[in-house]
């Protein structure tokens, strides 16, 4: 999908919602529309103009990568409000739409006080909701890299290695498999720490009789993957094995139900009902999954109160889990593309019960 088409689509959304001007502030939307991958800088879009406002560090890069944009330098005394006022004189708008969720309260109030026109909140989550073919291929590659990285670290998942050392191996394996970096800080939790859904790896050593949960992702071409697997280190308790098979059944049921038209809440209920019936309902403490793309957490959110229906081109995660303090936990996660008639599984690492060492 060309950036020109993305820009046309954005302007079509603006026209439908009667928005005359949009100021993009988050790094993912800025890259999506204007190839600017940076926490600093802004992208201003009207129906007649497109402007990149950046400091001197990015001027040359933006001129090379985004020649169709007007590039304006952000430097004292000519800051953002000055440039907005100047552009507003050329291409007037009644209000400026920007995503309040991406600005601090102070930044929003400061900008509002400096501008002679009102600010309007516009949620950018719908901008990248469905992926085009080039984006899907990048996510496919990111998922393949995660699968390869997990396969290469399997020999290290043994009693005696620390959670932190294993996380280090995973992050190195992602780069060796072709990823630019991991999608987020790698999660490795074992034993009783398995009850921490996003526990940070520590110097704790993996031990016989434990479950170990690994959650990581790979970035390829700025697009993310996200995968979680749980393994048994030798023979574990009946309770831990029951937890694992409950999560596996819930995960399989939900991902195989993915199709256009099903709602996010329906998918969450499918997995949650299985976990509830097994007696673990109170220990499934998060939503079933989330969208995936330039950011590792995007719309849509697969939660019980979200009636949004899936559409072809959406990429989501399916990741139920059970976490019991004093016992441990398990989670299994895959990346899933919604297709015209069902789904495509993007992560394919084995998920059946596996004793790493007997």
């Amino acid at each position: 999908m060309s950036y020109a088409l993305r820009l046309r689509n954005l302007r079509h959304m603006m026209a439908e919602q009667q928005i005359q001007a949009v100021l993009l502030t988050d790094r993912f939307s800025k890259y999506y529309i204007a190839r600017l991958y940076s926490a600093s800088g802004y992208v201003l879009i009207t129906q007649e103009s497109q402007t990149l406002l950046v400091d001197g560090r990015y001027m040359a890069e933006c001129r090379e990568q985004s020649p169709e944009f007007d590039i304006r330098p952000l430097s004292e005394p000519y800051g953002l409000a000055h440039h907005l006022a100047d552009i507003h004189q050329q291409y007037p708008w009644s209000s400026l739409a920007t995503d309040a969720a991406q600005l601090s309260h102070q930044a929003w109030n400061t900008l509002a006080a400096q501008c002679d026109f009102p600010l309007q909140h516009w949620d950018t989550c719908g901008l990248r909701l469905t992926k085009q073919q080039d984006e899907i291929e990048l996510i496919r590659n990111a998922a393949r890299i995660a699968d390869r990285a997990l396969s290469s670290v399997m020999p290290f998942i043994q009693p005696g290695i620390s959670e932190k050392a294993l996380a280090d191996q995973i992050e190195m394996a992602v780069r060796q498999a072709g990823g630019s970096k991991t999608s987020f800080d790698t999660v490795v939790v074992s034993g009783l720490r398995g009850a921490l859904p996003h526990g940070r790896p520590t110097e704790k050593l993996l031990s016989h009789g434990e479950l170990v949960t690994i959650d990581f992702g790979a970035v390829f071409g700025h697009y993310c993957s996200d995968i979680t697997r749980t393994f048994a280190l030798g023979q574990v308790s009946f309770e831990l094995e029951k937890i694992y098979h409950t999560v596996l059944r819930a995960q399989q049921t939900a991902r195989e139900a993915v199709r256009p038209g099903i709602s996010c809440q329906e998918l969450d209920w499918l997995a949650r009902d299985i976990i509830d019936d097994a007696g673990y309902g109170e220990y499934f403490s998060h939503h079933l999954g989330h969208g995936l793309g330039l950011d590792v957490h995007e719309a849509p959110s697969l939660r019980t109160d979200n009636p949004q229906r899936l559409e072809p081109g959406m990429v989501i995660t399916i990741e139920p889990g059970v976490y019991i303090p004093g016992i441990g936990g398990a989670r299994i996660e895959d990346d899933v593309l919604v297709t015209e008639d069902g789904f495509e599984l993007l992560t394919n690492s084995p998920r059946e019960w596996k004793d790493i060492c007997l």
Side-chain angles (χ1 to χ4, degrees):
M1 181 181 185
S2 71
Y3 284 87
L5 182 54
R6 293 178 185 181
L7 195 55
R8 286 199 297 272
N9 288 346
L10 171 57
R11 286 185 167 131
H12 180 71
M13 292 175 64
M14 292 167 61
E16 284 186 330
Q17 299 175 38
Q18 297 183 321
I19 294 172
Q20 297 172 330
V22 165
L23 183 69
L24 301 176
T25 61
D26 72 283
R27 71 163 68 234
F28 304 111
S29 295
K30 290 184 295 186
Y31 178 80
Y32 184 77
I33 292 296
R35 309 177 192 87
L36 174 62
Y37 193 82
S38 169
S40 65
Y42 306 89
V43 177
L44 177 68
I45 305 296
T46 73
Q47 290 296 347
E48 299 84 19
S49 67
Q50 57 259 8
T51 307
L52 272 165
L53 301 114
V54 294
D55 65 45
R57 296 171 296 172
Y58 301 99
M59 293 290 293
E61 180 181 344
C62 288
R63 288 192 183 104
E64 179 182 348
Q65 295 186 351
S66 308
E68 70 275 30
F69 279 74
D70 177 26
I71 315 295
R72 291 185 174 228
L74 286 176
S75 57
E76 295 297 337
Y78 302 115
L80 175 61
H82 169 85
H83 288 291
L84 291 177
D86 186 35
I87 299 168
H88 180 247
Q89 284 189 327
Q90 296 176 268
Y91 308 100
W93 55 76
S94 57
S95 66
L96 176 64
T98 191
D99 195 338
Q102 302 298 331
L103 292 174
S104 69
H105 181 68
Q106 179 180 359
W108 177 279
N109 287 340
T110 299
L111 184 60
Q114 292 174 342
C115 293
D116 294 330
F117 41 81
L119 299 185
Q120 170 190 352
H121 170 60
W122 185 62
D123 190 345
T124 58
C125 71
L127 187 60
R128 308 189 310 272
L129 191 60
T130 58
K131 275 62 181 179
Q132 301 302 315
Q133 198 56 47
D134 61 329
E135 298 178 275
I136 291 169
E137 191 54 38
L138 290 170
I139 300 172
R140 277 198 190 103
N141 277 316
R144 292 182 189 121
I145 289 167
D147 280 334
R148 291 199 298 269
L150 181 57
S151 177
S152 71
V153 300
M154 289 298 293
F156 295 95
I157 307 175
Q158 294 287 338
I161 191 174
S162 72
E163 293 173 341
K164 186 178 182 305
L166 180 53
D168 290 343
Q169 290 290 339
I170 292 168
E171 300 205 0
M172 182 170 60
V174 165
R175 288 174 173 81
Q176 291 174 336
S180 59
K181 60 181 179 178
T182 52
S183 305
F184 52 91
D185 290 340
T186 297
V187 174
V188 177
V189 287
S190 59
L192 300 183
R193 300 190 72 251
L196 305 174
H198 285 167
R200 294 181 178 274
T202 68
E203 297 296 340
K204 178 194 172 298
L205 303 182
L206 276 58
S207 301
H208 283 279
E210 294 182 337
L211 294 181
V212 55
T213 296
I214 296 168
D215 183 357
F216 72 100
V219 176
F220 181 82
H222 294 298
Y223 283 79
C224 300
S225 61
D226 190 358
I227 186 172
T228 306
R229 292 293 185 266
T230 299
F231 305 103
L233 297 174
Q235 185 173 356
V236 302
S237 69
F238 172 81
E239 184 78 5
L240 287 174
E241 189 166 352
K242 180 186 175 187
I243 289 170
Y244 183 90
H245 285 294
T246 299
V247 170
L248 178 61
R249 189 164 68 255
Q251 204 260 359
Q252 180 177 354
T253 300
R255 62 180 159 82
E256 291 184 353
V258 171
R259 64 183 185 278
I262 194 169
S263 70
C264 294
Q265 61 189 178
E266 286 178 89
L267 284 176
D268 189 291
W269 288 332
L270 281 172
R272 202 167 298 275
D273 284 348
I274 290 172
I275 292 173
D276 282 343
D277 289 346
Y280 298 127
E282 65 180 295
Y283 303 112
F284 180 13
S285 54
H286 54 76
H287 307 319
L288 176 64
H290 52 82
L292 195 63
L294 284 167
D295 196 357
V296 75
H297 289 97
E298 297 192 344
S301 177
L302 277 62
R303 60 180 194 268
T304 54
D305 61 346
N306 185 9
Q308 183 174 12
R309 297 191 177 278
L310 299 185
E311 301 173 16
M314 291 181 176
V315 181
I316 58 174
T317 68
I318 302 291
E319 50 176 308
V322 170
Y323 318 95
I324 306 179
I327 294 178
R331 180 169 66 256
I332 303 169
E333 175 185 21
D334 282 302
D335 303 338
V336 183
L337 167 66
V338 184
T339 63
E340 293 291 340
D341 56 359
F343 71 93
E344 176 188 338
L345 194 57
L346 301 181
T347 43
N348 290 286
S349 295
R351 61 193 66 79
E352 67 273 6
W353 176 259
K354 184 174 180 60
D355 291 322
I356 294 291
C357 52
L358 298 174

